[in-house]
Amino acid sequence: MGQYTVTYTGGPEYLTWQKDVTVDAKGPSEIEFHLDRWFDPATYGWYSGDHHIHAAGCRHYMNPAEACCQTT
């Protein structure tokens, strides 16, 4: 029981959000999380085949534009 802050994202092309959640003695409840894209790679002809995400400490999670939008 208690008050928690949940941080969530759908990956590097999605915005990161936080939601405050209260857990009480009544037990589990349903919580909705909405994902919002800030960048859509498909508009540039790129489709991800990655089936998992390494979110802990990866540079592109700290600065997604650096990983997704670099020009050479």
Side-chain angles (χ1 to χ4, degrees):
M1 295 189 299
Q3 183 76 19
Y4 300 90
T5 300
V6 178
T7 302
Y8 64 97
T9 182
E13 71 265 22
Y14 289 87
L15 296 171
T16 300
W17 293 101
Q18 289 189 337
K19 182 179 280 202
D20 292 325
V21 176
T22 302
V23 177
D24 59 24
K26 291 186 269 181
S29 61
E30 188 171 309
I31 304 166
E32 290 187 25
F33 296 93
H34 298 280
L35 299 175
D36 295 310
R37 272 196 161 135
W38 71 272
F39 176 76
D40 186 6
T43 60
Y44 299 95
W46 185 82
Y47 299 90
S48 175
D50 190 3
H51 58 88
H52 69 281
I53 296 173
H54 297 275
C58 292
R59 188 175 77 181
H60 63 276
Y61 280 89
M62 304 311 286
N63 186 356
E66 186 177 316
C68 296
C69 306
Q70 286 183 347
T71 58
T72 56

